[in-house]
Structures are given as structure tokens and as C-alpha cells.
Amino acid sequence: MIDDFAKDNLHGRLRRDRKTLLWKLDGLSEYDVRRPLTTTGTNLLGLVKHVANVEARYFGEVFDRPSPEPLPQWQDADDTDLWATEGETREQIIEFYRRTWEHADATIDELPLDAPGHVPWWPDPFSHTNLFAILVHVLGETVRHAGHADILREGIDGRTGVRPEHEEQIDEEARAAHWAKIERAARSAARLEP
């Protein structure tokens, strides 16, 4: 009984956070979803591509249920799992992510939480795991990268939020006042440093 509840709850949260990550692309230009927004090159479409590869590997290879389509080399030298190449379209990456959901959802639906898995890229003894641990791990990865996407999107056009229905209208004046208050507090604290 608790296993069914835990599995449904974790799976439901994963489904929610997948949609959140994709929503961060809505309404942006091709340039804005691809451009490097940090010194390491982090970008919105790259985050989606990376999370799709994470799901494909963890809910595929780990449970001997490989992805039905070819996957790029895992964490290759030029980090192409973290950015969209010129030959990849936004639509291709989004559709790959959606197909990965279907494959991952089938693994989650068909296996019990204690189904054994093996993560060859994790060190022993942690490499021997189960569906519950992988669900928690992938949910953590997805939430982490959705948070990155939220911050990146805020930097592009000021939009924030978890889901479209929770998005608020941007009050530029209120935001500026809030920012100024935090800046004053930071400067005040800096003056108190020894």
C-alpha cells in the first residue's frame, strides 16, 4: 500500500516537473533558448536535452530496458548532452524528451519500487540500486535543472514560476523596490564585516 502511494507520488511529481522544465522554453526565440547564459554555457534547451538523456539512461540502461532510439555518448568530452548543436532543432529535442517520458513511464509503471537496477557509472556498492532510489535521483535531477531553468528564464525576460497558472504579472516597480531593499541589506552587512 505505501509502495503504491510512494510510487504514484514520486511519479506524479516527476511528470509535473518535466512540464515545468519545458514551459520555461515557451515564447522564447530560438536564440534565447540556446544562448549560453552562464560562464559554463548553461542554456535552456541544453537543460531539456540533458534531462532527457538522464531519464533515458536511468530508466533504460539501469533496468536493462535500453532506449529504443540511439543516445549520444554519456557525458562526452564536449558536453553535447548539455547544449543544442546547430543541426538539432528545438522540436527534435522536445520530441526526444517526450519519447523519453513514454519509455521512462513504462519502466516506472511496469516495475515494482524494489526492482533491482545497476548504474554502471556509479561506484560500488552504490551501483546496485532499485527503482525507488532511481525515481528519487531522477526527480532530484529534474527539480534541480528546472530551478536552473527558472533562474535563466528570469534573467532573459523576468518570467518566473512553477507552472503557467501560477505565473504572476510582472510589477517592475515592485521588483525594483524589492531588489533595492535586498541590495541595501547586503551593503549594510558588508560594512559590518571585520
Side-chain angles (χ1 to χ4, degrees):
M1 182 100 144
I2 188 70
D3 283 356
D4 291 339
F5 171 79
K7 186 176 178 181
D8 290 346
N9 190 282
L10 291 170
H11 197 183
R13 289 174 182 272
L14 179 60
R15 285 180 172 126
R16 176 198 66 194
D17 293 330
R18 288 168 174 162
K19 291 176 186 173
T20 297
L21 183 57
L22 278 186
W23 174 57
K24 295 300 173 180
L25 305 177
D26 284 359
L28 292 178
S29 70
E30 202 61 35
Y31 173 72
D32 280 337
V33 298
R34 294 169 173 269
R35 68 181 166 127
L37 295 163
T38 68
T39 57
T40 59
T42 305
N43 61 86
L44 290 167
L45 194 55
L47 289 172
V48 172
K49 182 179 177 183
H50 174 70
V51 172
N53 279 300
V54 165
E55 279 205 39
R57 298 219 184 266
Y58 279 99
F59 292 118
E61 293 171 28
V62 168
F63 297 101
D64 200 25
R65 299 167 61 96
S67 174
E69 58 191 278
L71 298 175
Q73 187 176 355
W74 186 236
Q75 298 177 336
D76 55 6
D78 67 353
D79 289 329
T80 54
D81 76 316
L82 290 166
W83 56 281
T85 65
E86 291 175 37
E88 294 174 309
T89 68
R90 177 193 318 217
E91 292 75 23
Q92 286 172 327
I93 291 172
I94 289 171
E95 286 309 309
F96 168 60
Y97 191 25
R98 291 184 189 281
R99 287 190 308 275
T100 297
W101 294 358
E102 291 173 13
H103 186 68
D105 288 347
T107 297
I108 295 165
D109 290 341
E110 293 170 21
L111 299 179
L113 279 180
D114 62 353
H118 178 255
V119 185
W121 51 91
W122 286 2
D124 282 330
F126 306 106
S127 64
H128 299 284
T129 189
N130 60 35
L131 181 61
F132 176 78
I134 295 302
L135 251 171
V136 170
H137 178 77
V138 172
L139 179 59
E141 283 283 315
T142 305
V143 169
R144 176 177 175 234
H145 293 309
H148 294 147
D150 196 40
I151 291 167
L152 295 179
R153 179 67 190 250
E154 181 179 353
I156 293 171
D157 65 4
R159 298 282 179 216
T160 61
V162 178
R163 291 185 294 285
E165 61 270 21
H166 293 154
E167 185 178 29
E168 296 179 16
Q169 292 298 318
I170 299 171
D171 180 342
E172 297 292 344
E173 194 174 304
R175 276 196 179 171
H178 183 68
W179 187 93
K181 177 174 63 175
I182 295 169
E183 176 69 15
R184 282 191 305 276
R187 289 186 183 278
S188 178
R191 284 192 293 273
L192 299 176
E193 282 184 315

